[in-house]
Amino acid sequence: MDSLDLLAHPIRLRIVLAMGGARTLTTSQLCARIPEASKATVYRHIDRLTTGGILEVAEERRVRGAVERHYRLRQDRAAITPDTVSTLTPDDHRRAFTTAMTALLAEFTAYLDREGADPVADRVGFRQHSVWLSPAELEELIGCLRTAIAPKLANGPSPERTQYLLSPIHFPMEAPPSEAGA
């Protein structure tokens, strides 16, 4: 199974998101992050991600006679390559986008349901802007976003850091003007 098939499921995507920042988590910790899914479901998806090479066992410990595994994300495998993106059909894009939005909605709902959630204090934002961009301006904007976000992806958990979910989304809202109409 390729990375797209592995990541194109809301539970598996949420597991990957939880593992960001080079952290290691146990299955129990991941189950606590995704309480609306049964433990069996989370275990099954962790197994698929491990078998597919997206997660790896970072450490094993004996706890009360059982083996507790700590998993780590293989960042090099948890991405969809540009070559893969270039082969996707519109239905593939629709499925991937639906998965991403489903995971985003589930994460936001889990945040709001958490004891003490405070969207104002936590600086929660979900603005949308309609902007007019030439192809060159779009490339510049994407480059600026990458420049701002990419260095932060290496941040690991620490006492002064909170894990945030960023979801830059951009797509044309209407067809570009045709050559004849320009």
Side-chain angles (χ1 to χ4, degrees):
M1 183 177 288
D2 67 12
S3 293
L4 177 62
D5 287 333
L6 283 167
L7 296 173
H9 188 283
I11 299 291
R12 290 193 294 269
L13 183 56
R14 290 183 67 199
I15 291 168
V16 168
L17 293 171
M19 302 297 293
R23 69 195 315 197
T24 61
L25 296 173
T26 66
T27 305
S28 294
Q29 290 170 316
L30 288 164
C31 286
R33 287 282 302 252
I34 309 170
E36 70 278 5
S38 70
K39 287 184 180 186
T41 297
V42 175
Y43 273 81
R44 186 176 66 249
H45 289 298
I46 289 170
D47 182 60
R48 288 188 81 177
L49 289 167
T50 304
T51 301
I54 290 179
L55 294 182
E56 64 185 1
V57 177
E59 179 183 0
E60 292 183 335
R61 294 184 193 157
R62 280 239 173 258
V63 177
R64 293 182 295 278
V67 175
E68 178 183 70
R69 290 184 179 88
H70 293 249
Y71 294 92
R72 167 179 42 232
L73 181 66
R74 291 193 52 203
Q75 195 65 48
D76 61 318
R77 299 289 310 267
I80 311 303
T81 66
D83 287 342
T84 298
V85 171
S86 71
T87 66
L88 299 180
T89 66
D91 282 340
D92 293 332
H93 282 281
R94 187 174 293 112
R95 183 172 62 111
F97 188 81
T98 299
T99 298
M101 293 301 97
T102 301
L104 181 64
L105 180 59
E107 286 292 332
F108 191 65
T109 298
Y111 161 74
L112 291 175
D113 289 346
R114 207 169 54 215
E115 182 74 29
D118 186 344
V120 174
D122 293 335
R123 307 276 321 251
V124 170
F126 41 86
R127 294 163 185 83
Q128 294 181 330
H129 305 280
S130 173
V131 296
W132 294 86
L133 301 169
S134 69
E137 291 167 329
L138 177 60
E139 286 303 315
E140 177 188 15
L141 177 62
I142 292 169
C144 290
L145 290 170
R146 283 187 184 134
T147 299
I149 296 170
K152 305 300 183 211
L153 295 175
N155 288 356
S158 70
E160 70 274 358
R161 287 189 177 132
T162 299
Q163 187 180 36
Y164 280 81
L165 181 58
L166 298 177
S167 296
I169 300 167
H170 50 85
F171 56 89
M173 292 174 56
E174 59 184 58
S178 67
E179 294 290 333

